[in-house]
Amino acid sequence: LEIAGLLTMSAATLCPATCSATVDGSSWPCRYHGNGCKVNVTNTDASRLVDINVAVINPYVGGLGDLMTMVEPSIAQAVQDIESSSFLPGFRLNAYLVDSKCTVPDATTAAVAAMTTGPQKHIVFSDSCSAACEAVNDALRHFQVLQVGSGCVSVSLSNSDRYPYFTRMAPSFRFNVLSIYELFKFLGFQRIGTVYGYRGSNNLAKDLLLEMMANDNAAGTYSWTSLFTHRVEFIEDAQTAVDLAASKDSRINMMALYELEGSMLLCQAFKKNVLTPDFNWFVSSGWWNANYITLTAGTEKVPCTVNELHRASYGLIASDRGPMLNTADIHSLSGRSLADLYSEYTNLCEGFANGKGSCNHQWAGYFYDGMWLIASILHTFLITQNRSFSELATSQSLQDLYELSLGIDFYGQTGRVRQFNSVDPKTTPPSYGDRDGIVLLRQVTGPPESAFIQLAFRTEDGLNFKTDVLWSSTDTNKKLPCTGTTCNFAGGWVPPDRTTQCEAGRTWTLTDGCKMCPEGSFASSGACDLCSPGTFSGAPGATACTPCGLGNYTQLRGSVRCFQCSEGKYTNQSQSTECLDCPRGTYADVRGLSQCTACPQDTETAFEGASSEDMCVCSSGQRLLNHTCVACEKQEICEGGRIVGFRPTNEAWINTLDVAGAQRALSQTIAKNFFLVALAIRVEESKANMMNAIAKFDNTLYAMISGDENRNIIASPKQEVSAALEATRLLWIPLKSLMTEKVETMASGVVDMVDIEHVAEQTTLLRMSAQAVVDAWGEAASTAGAHLNGLLVDIAGRQRMLIQRMCKEALIIALGVSASETRATLTSVASLFEETQEGLVFGIPAVGIPQLRSMCTMHQMGEVSFYFRQVRPYIREITNAPTARHSSSVAARVASDLASLTDPFFQSMAAAVALFSNDTASCNPLESITESEWLALTEGIANSRIGVAEAMRHYMQIANGLAAQASKVELSVLVAEQSQLLQDLVQGRKLENKPAPPTQQMLDKFISVSNLWNTFSVGLEEAVRQTTIAEVDVALQISLQSSLLQDLNDAMDLQVQDAAAAGSTVQIRLLDLTHRQQFQFHNLPIQAYKVLFGAITAEELNTTAQAFRSLRRELIMGAPATDERMALQSITDLCIVRGLAEVMN
């Protein structure tokens, strides 16, 4: 409708009535609005009878301001000069002005309007904003005309496959980067730091420089060292970038930043005294205004005064597009001198608004040269090649005009105008269809209100200096005298790219500059050596390493501290690299011992490395009971003074496996509550929860070791289980002791990050050890022939652990412990939970997990999903934060809410695990389903039916070759939406009031629909990728659609029955009829396409159309009941009647 509306627009509406390109910003009547947006030719040639119309689409407003008003005089100069020339005899070149507003949607609208309003347009001259340029190119695919870009500089536009029939006038910003790269080599710089912004062009500029440096290094033609690359968006990023430059002795740095972010960085450089001439900055992307210092200083992102920012900026060199030339050289097409054109343009633009007009010498020349490029290629096409005027704006001429534009070569106001790499010389590296021309190098040596002076021009012949290079605002000797193509290096000064001497205690490297030896190393003979095993250094700049004391050790080279021997171990040597296990008969129940404690009389340990007196046990054939050794009963299996087994039942195996699986979750629950205390969140409650979980883990661990008949827990039946339990116990004893002690300290407000890190590490090991116990029990149960669905129950049980682990990892991030690594772990854990949740519901055939078909378990899994969808936004906010520090801040903010959700989330999953183990189908959702949920379920079935129809319509359009490209786009979206809708029908979505199927019969039917859709959607996705569709594939899709619709209709019938049985008052059957009418509206074009395809006859189509009309009448007038439907009452609501009338219209 928007496009259709454009067809009625007048030409005058395409350009504004008032323009503001004035020195004081005031608005005045635009030059050409009253002339239908057409540029006037004052001196006409009567022999020019045929009009060739150029749509000049550029911004009057937007990111570049009122650019069009400032360049209109250049367009008028070009049109008049072409009129007065020998070019295009018999033809008049007209320019029609259109406002693109420098945005993608406005540029698209402008392009379509220009091509459909007023006289026919034969060529488009657009745009100066790169994103708008791309949008115009996409729109012009429908109009068969060449696009000449007036000022867009994006490298992506050189991709002729993506942006066909596009010729650029302004060199892309890769030449800005190339100019800085060549300047670096000219000045002999080799060590380079790189700072870049968050915009795509910034990133591409950074990549281009690094690529060229890498190519030189690989070819051996120049030696570069990239010191660092750092992305800058916020003040903290700028501070880090300046710190990196200082710490790495990066004295020559390229900035791929726009002026705001660049000013932000320079302000931080001033605050940290990282200033010229010691540290120097070069800008390669983004257009910096001459008054950027006064524009940005004192703003929120640039908290510096004008003088401070000017000091930090002095000597900065920036590359940008070359300006309009003001020389005695002759324009090789118009024959006029460039100085004459410059002067005339200046007078014309300044004369606007009664002498208040603004000029833009940096952009205007590209419009003059661009109009001449258009005239030149049209002259060759129409006059030299004697082609027909009627071929313009057709596919016949499009490719030919594009190829002519690639061969253009003339000298204009913007230097040499020609396209690489279609003519010699080829660029190295290649510029992929870029334009030759001039790049301007500017240097900040002027006053704050006009900081830049013209330093040099860069052309194909190299650098041409206009003045000396000044490096210091205070030392006049620090300059490089330059003129033309040469500089006096012998008599001038160039800043070095590295320091000459490091301070005492530091070493110099090419990549890092002067550095103190880091922790874990020491300075030796001008280099840093790692501390040997058994020694450490805990601070930077050490001259020697310290030996570990008694009871401490380290096995690593480069240790920053020694570690206490864990419980069960000791060392009585200094500078130890390992700890020894306590011998049998002894134990170590605290960390850091230099000798072990002997067991009490008449007891012994059954192994080396005992970590508590409790491990001193009775002799073989006995077990400990109430601290007394007693003989084992016949049914008991005793080893090492403990009961290690009973005769197990199948229920005992299931229960024991569930208990073992719960240990995984308990390990994370304990850590979670420990970290909640550290964060001062519900301290007393969290401490009590932690102690309860510790007691439960402790009690359960020893129950699995020795068995517990009362709790139906089997004693360890195999050596592999015992070994896994023993490994868990060895981890658990010292960890329990540490956490019990430290939680009290933290509750009083004293948090030791060393303890936090240790608990995070040890609880991770405890979780892994608990998993090993689960695996060992599962293998033992399998070997014993137990009958249980071990894999499914284990995976469902693992979900309980993942719930607690998600919360734990978030709390670790909130505490600032290894935030970068931990948020990656959190992302992985959340993804694993979500993938497992989907697999438990929809099945994973590859690993033997079936599709969930039990209604009660499905409803419980819906509850789990309900809580996960509440938890997931918190997790994503933490993991998607721009930096690790931001992640810690977010995690600290949401920690309390996340912890509150975790408990009911965990309980809902625990209930689901119980149902996976034994679902007795005892639930009855019909008793609790609400009227709004019946309505939501009805809407879901009806929308699924319509979605299938819409998908089939687009499929048949593709098969018949009708609007195929647009249909492919729509079909891609529909497949994703319909897949989600069907998933919601199967599982429900409580947050959106969508219930899971309330009966087993409905669940079975929805599963059938979902499975049919999976097969059907494969054909739809293939249609998106294919150019043609085989008849056999169309026939299959028609059959699958029929089955899908039948199942959905059956599902609706089941719902009607179940709703009536449940006593619902919702008129579901009436809603179904209206929805079926909506469905038939979508089905009519499908049947029409089937007729085209030969799948059905025209009579069947007419029957469907007649049924649609008949039901519409019956919905309005009423009808008696039939065997297939209820009686219909006549409609008295005028709004509904009018709505149905609009449908028929």
Side-chain angles (χ1 to χ4, degrees):
L1 291 175
E2 182 178 354
I3 300 297
L6 297 175
L7 300 178
T8 64
M9 295 174 64
S10 68
T13 62
L14 302 184
C15 63
T18 59
C19 296
S20 58
T22 55
V23 293
D24 60 0
S26 58
S27 296
W28 290 75
C30 296
R31 293 183 182 92
Y32 300 110
H33 178 78
N35 196 42
C37 299
K38 179 182 177 184
V39 176
N40 297 318
V41 177
T42 55
N43 299 316
T44 57
D45 180 352
S47 66
R48 298 179 180 270
L49 302 177
V50 180
D51 287 330
I52 300 175
N53 301 315
V54 180
V56 184
I57 306 174
N58 271 273
Y60 282 93
V61 293
L64 296 178
D66 189 355
L67 176 67
M68 188 77 107
T69 300
M70 289 187 278
V71 302
E72 282 175 350
S74 272
I75 300 171
Q77 282 180 291
V79 171
Q80 183 61 63
D81 290 348
I82 294 166
E83 179 81 7
S84 302
S85 73
S86 60
F87 279 77
L88 291 171
F91 296 93
R92 172 166 294 122
L93 194 66
N94 299 312
Y96 287 87
L97 308 180
V98 186
D99 185 8
S100 72
K101 298 182 176 61
C102 201
T103 71
V104 168
D106 289 310
T108 303
T109 301
V112 175
M115 299 306 297
T116 56
T117 302
Q120 181 184 14
K121 309 306 185 301
H122 304 96
I123 284 185
V124 170
F125 190 23
S126 173
D127 192 282
S128 295
C129 303
S130 292
C133 239
E134 295 168 357
V136 169
N137 187 271
D138 287 338
L140 292 182
R141 294 191 181 210
H142 302 282
F143 297 104
Q144 307 292 331
V145 295
L146 178 69
Q147 179 187 7
V148 178
S150 49
C152 30
V153 296
S154 170
V155 174
S156 62
L157 286 162
S158 293
N159 182 351
S160 60
D161 292 328
R162 175 62 184 88
Y163 299 105
Y165 310 115
F166 172 82
T167 295
R168 66 169 77 245
M169 273 306 302
S172 74
F173 71 77
R174 64 181 286 115
F175 279 96
N176 294 3
V177 182
L178 186 61
S179 299
I180 297 298
Y181 159 81
E182 291 173 350
L183 182 62
F184 283 167
K185 294 176 75 171
F186 179 77
L187 297 174
F189 298 146
Q190 295 177 293
R191 300 176 73 251
I192 308 296
T194 308
V195 182
Y196 64 101
Y198 58 90
R199 297 174 177 86
S201 61
N202 302 150
N203 195 59
L204 288 170
K206 176 261 297 181
D207 290 343
L208 176 58
L209 178 66
L210 295 179
E211 177 186 352
M212 291 189 292
M213 291 166 59
N215 290 340
D216 284 346
N217 285 337
T221 55
Y222 197 84
S223 178
W224 297 95
T225 299
S226 176
L227 300 176
F228 72 93
T229 59
H230 189 72
R231 183 176 182 268
V232 169
E233 183 174 357
F234 304 105
I235 287 183
E236 295 83 357
D237 305 324
Q239 293 169 340
T240 302
V242 174
D243 289 340
L244 281 170
S247 66
K248 288 183 170 287
D249 193 41
S250 181
R251 295 170 177 266
I252 307 299
N253 302 281
M254 185 194 84
M255 280 198 293
L257 297 173
Y258 281 17
E259 66 180 24
L260 179 58
E261 289 77 23
S263 297
M264 179 173 66
L265 183 140
L266 291 168
C267 176
Q268 295 306 314
F270 178 86
K271 292 180 181 296
K272 294 175 179 288
N273 200 33
V274 180
L275 299 171
T276 58
D278 297 323
F279 294 87
N280 299 275
W281 304 93
F282 298 79
V283 178
S284 66
S285 78
W287 297 273
W288 291 41
N289 290 302
N291 62 339
Y292 77 91
I293 293 176
T294 57
L295 283 174
T296 62
T299 61
E300 181 180 358
K301 286 193 172 184
V302 189
C304 285
T305 66
V306 168
N307 289 336
E308 288 171 343
L309 185 57
H310 186 248
R311 172 63 187 90
S313 299
Y314 194 89
L316 176 145
I317 295 176
S319 59
D320 206 343
R321 71 177 69 217
M324 177 188 293
L325 296 178
N326 184 15
T327 67
D329 295 312
I330 301 300
H331 194 286
S332 58
L333 293 184
S334 71
R336 297 180 62 182
S337 77
L338 303 185
D340 177 42
L341 288 169
Y342 187 98
S343 174
E344 182 181 74
Y345 164 75
T346 304
N347 291 332
L348 289 170
C349 65
E350 289 179 349
F352 178 65
N354 287 342
K356 296 182 179 181
S358 287
C359 300
N360 194 322
H361 294 92
Q362 197 165 356
W363 288 79
Y366 294 93
F367 285 80
Y368 186 85
D369 286 348
M371 291 300 294
W372 270 104
L373 180 145
I374 291 170
S376 178
I377 63 174
L378 288 171
H379 182 88
T380 302
F381 182 83
L382 295 169
I383 307 304
T384 306
Q385 295 181 356
N386 197 25
R387 300 284 290 274
S388 170
F389 172 75
S390 62
E391 293 183 62
L392 293 180
T394 68
S395 58
Q396 294 174 299
S397 64
L398 185 55
Q399 181 65 35
D400 295 339
L401 288 173
Y402 175 66
E403 290 177 357
L404 286 173
S405 73
L406 298 182
I408 284 293
D409 188 358
F410 66 89
Y411 195 80
Q413 279 193 297
T414 58
R416 192 171 182 183
V417 181
R418 59 173 178 169
Q419 300 290 314
F420 292 155
N421 274 343
S422 60
V423 296
D424 287 331
K426 302 290 195 291
T427 58
T428 304
S431 60
Y432 309 108
D434 217 323
R435 198 216 112 167
D436 195 0
I438 297 173
V439 174
L440 172 65
L441 291 176
R442 301 181 292 168
Q443 187 174 32
V444 176
T445 58
E449 62 273 11
S450 183
F452 287 111
I453 59 96
Q454 290 190 3
L455 176 66
F457 286 167
R458 184 270 175 199
T459 68
E460 59 177 305
D461 299 320
L463 296 170
N464 190 316
F465 287 89
K466 304 301 179 184
T467 188
D468 298 339
V469 186
L470 305 182
W471 304 105
S472 173
S473 60
T474 57
D475 187 348
T476 57
N477 292 321
K478 291 187 174 179
K479 69 177 182 178
L480 180 63
C482 296
T483 180
T485 59
T486 61
C487 293
N488 183 4
F489 288 97
W493 184 85
V494 175
D497 66 0
R498 66 199 71 194
T499 190
T500 55
Q501 185 176 1
C502 292
E503 299 176 7
R506 297 174 179 261
T507 58
W508 193 89
T509 64
L510 184 65
T511 56
D512 290 320
C514 294
K515 284 287 185 182
M516 292 175 62
C517 292
E519 298 175 351
S521 66
F522 67 101
S524 174
S525 303
C528 296
D529 290 337
L530 294 176
C531 292
S532 59
T535 67
F536 73 99
S537 69
T543 57
C545 299
T546 305
C548 294
L550 300 181
N552 293 269
Y553 77 102
T554 177
Q555 298 175 323
L556 306 174
R557 283 175 55 81
S559 293
V560 299
R561 63 186 177 92
C562 295
F563 302 92
Q564 290 184 323
C565 294
S566 62
E567 290 86 346
K569 294 182 179 289
Y570 76 103
T571 177
N572 55 10
Q573 302 289 328
S574 63
Q575 201 167 328
S576 293
T577 59
E578 63 178 348
C579 297
L580 305 175
D581 288 333
C582 289
R584 287 196 175 204
T586 67
Y587 64 92
D589 57 356
V590 295
R591 299 169 65 86
L593 291 184
S594 58
Q595 64 180 19
C596 302
T597 305
C599 283
Q601 188 175 357
D602 297 329
T603 62
E604 62 181 14
T605 58
F607 48 84
E608 295 180 346
S611 58
S612 73
E613 186 178 348
D614 293 342
M615 297 178 185
C616 299
V617 297
C618 304
S619 303
S620 178
Q622 294 184 319
R623 66 180 178 88
L624 197 64
L625 179 64
N626 298 325
H627 306 287
T628 302
C629 292
V630 298
C632 295
E633 299 291 340
K634 290 183 179 180
Q635 73 272 20
E636 299 169 344
I637 304 172
C638 299
E639 288 183 10
R642 302 188 302 275
I643 297 174
V644 295
F646 298 94
R647 186 183 298 277
T649 64
N650 203 62
E651 291 73 24
W653 279 112
I654 293 174
N655 182 65
T656 303
L657 269 171
D658 184 57
V659 167
Q663 292 289 82
R664 297 174 298 192
L666 279 173
S667 71
Q668 305 304 287
T669 303
I670 293 166
K672 176 194 75 176
N673 284 287
F674 185 86
F675 297 139
L676 284 171
V677 174
L679 289 165
I681 297 174
R682 298 191 295 277
V683 173
E684 292 304 317
E685 178 186 347
S686 299
K687 185 172 69 172
N689 289 340
M690 188 196 85
M691 297 308 298
N692 289 336
I694 285 176
K696 188 171 183 179
F697 188 99
D698 196 73
N699 182 275
T700 303
L701 175 62
Y702 286 105
M704 287 192 291
I705 292 173
S706 302
D708 189 329
E709 284 185 291
N710 293 329
R711 295 164 60 188
N712 205 19
I713 297 175
I714 302 169
S716 172
K718 296 181 66 177
Q719 178 59 36
E720 291 81 358
V721 178
S722 298
L725 287 167
E726 181 59 20
T728 301
R729 189 181 64 82
L730 291 175
L731 280 169
W732 170 242
I733 296 299
L735 179 60
K736 175 181 71 172
S737 175
L738 173 68
M739 296 180 73
T740 303
E741 173 189 352
K742 297 299 181 181
V743 75
E744 296 296 336
T745 305
M746 291 194 306
S748 65
V750 180
V751 178
D752 187 338
M753 293 309 297
V754 173
D755 294 332
I756 296 293
E757 292 173 10
H758 187 68
V759 169
E761 174 188 4
Q762 292 301 306
T763 52
T764 297
L765 295 175
L766 185 65
R767 172 182 57 78
M768 297 167 65
S769 186
Q771 180 62 53
V773 170
V774 173
D775 296 339
W777 274 113
E779 180 63 28
S782 176
T783 302
H787 301 288
L788 62 154
N789 193 351
L791 177 62
L792 181 60
V793 174
D794 177 39
I795 290 176
R798 185 183 65 183
Q799 293 288 83
R800 295 176 300 189
M801 177 272 291
L802 292 176
I803 291 168
Q804 298 288 4
R805 189 179 176 194
M806 279 188 280
C807 185
K808 182 201 81 170
E809 301 295 349
L811 297 178
I812 292 175
I813 294 171
L815 288 163
V817 177
S818 303
S820 294
E821 296 81 4
T822 308
R823 70 175 182 172
T825 300
L826 178 56
T827 300
S828 175
V829 171
S831 296
L832 177 59
F833 181 91
E834 188 167 11
E835 292 166 4
T836 304
Q837 179 76 358
E838 182 175 347
L840 288 170
V841 173
F842 296 100
I844 311 175
V847 297
I849 295 180
Q851 190 173 22
L852 179 58
R853 293 180 176 272
S854 169
M855 179 190 64
C856 295
T857 307
M858 182 67 78
H859 272 261
Q860 188 59 42
M861 288 298 283
E863 284 290 313
V864 174
S865 295
F866 167 71
Y867 284 109
F868 179 63
R869 291 186 179 111
Q870 295 179 74
V871 166
R872 181 169 55 191
Y874 292 119
I875 302 298
R876 288 179 174 173
E877 187 178 4
I878 294 170
T879 56
N880 291 337
T883 65
R885 186 174 63 200
H886 285 95
S887 289
S888 295
S889 175
V890 171
R893 173 167 52 79
V894 306
S896 180
D897 292 342
L898 185 58
S900 297
L901 281 170
T902 297
D903 291 334
F905 188 12
F906 174 83
Q907 295 303 326
S908 68
M909 190 67 232
V913 173
L915 288 171
F916 274 110
S917 299
N918 184 26
D919 188 344
T920 60
S922 58
C923 65
N924 185 10
L926 283 176
E927 293 178 350
S928 59
I929 190 168
T930 65
E931 299 287 26
S932 62
E933 287 176 330
W934 280 121
L935 281 171
L937 197 56
T938 303
E939 290 290 332
I941 299 172
N943 289 338
S944 295
R945 190 163 53 196
I946 292 169
V948 170
E950 284 189 281
M952 191 62 184
R953 175 169 63 85
H954 288 293
Y955 178 88
M956 292 302 296
Q957 287 177 181
I958 296 169
N960 285 285
L962 302 171
Q965 194 59 42
S967 293
K968 288 182 178 183
V969 173
E970 291 293 331
L971 191 55
S972 297
V973 175
L974 276 170
V975 168
E977 292 176 346
Q978 185 71 1
S979 297
Q980 182 61 59
L981 182 57
L982 290 175
Q983 286 187 14
D984 291 347
L985 283 177
V986 172
Q987 190 181 2
R989 184 179 286 261
K990 187 175 179 180
L991 277 174
E992 298 177 10
N993 201 36
K994 297 178 180 179
T999 67
Q1000 184 64 51
Q1001 194 175 10
M1002 286 188 72
L1003 175 61
D1004 293 340
K1005 182 58 66 176
F1006 286 155
I1007 290 174
S1008 173
V1009 169
S1010 178
N1011 292 338
L1012 270 173
W1013 169 257
N1014 291 338
T1015 304
F1016 183 64
S1017 64
V1018 170
L1020 302 180
E1021 291 168 344
E1022 289 177 350
V1024 171
R1025 295 189 297 268
Q1026 294 172 344
T1027 55
T1028 59
I1029 305 175
E1031 290 186 7
V1032 65
D1033 292 337
V1034 176
L1036 176 60
Q1037 290 299 100
I1038 291 173
S1039 174
L1040 288 170
Q1041 185 216 13
S1042 175
S1043 300
L1044 265 170
L1045 294 176
Q1046 183 60 54
D1047 271 2
L1048 285 166
N1049 289 334
D1050 292 346
M1052 186 68 83
D1053 292 338
L1054 285 172
Q1055 171 160 334
V1056 172
Q1057 297 169 17
D1058 293 336
S1064 172
T1065 60
V1066 176
Q1067 295 294 318
I1068 295 177
R1069 180 56 79 189
L1070 179 60
L1071 291 173
D1072 177 36
L1073 287 174
T1074 58
H1075 279 301
R1076 287 182 191 242
Q1077 187 75 336
Q1078 186 180 6
F1079 160 76
Q1080 288 293 4
F1081 191 79
H1082 289 280
N1083 193 40
L1084 281 168
I1086 298 174
Q1087 292 210 294
Y1089 293 135
K1090 288 180 181 178
V1091 172
L1092 285 177
F1093 202 82
I1096 64 172
T1097 65
E1099 287 74 12
E1100 292 174 85
L1101 171 60
N1102 291 333
T1103 299
T1104 302
Q1106 182 58 41
F1108 178 87
R1109 289 190 291 268
S1110 297
L1111 181 56
R1112 175 256 183 183
R1113 286 193 298 271
E1114 291 173 352
L1115 284 171
I1116 296 175
M1117 305 302 297
T1122 68
D1123 293 338
E1124 298 179 352
R1125 69 153 192 256
M1126 60 188 283
L1128 297 177
Q1129 301 297 321
S1130 61
I1131 295 174
T1132 58
D1133 188 314
L1134 183 59
C1135 293
I1136 297 177
V1137 173
R1138 285 180 174 175
L1140 289 172
E1142 289 177 9
V1143 170
M1144 290 310 296
N1145 288 340

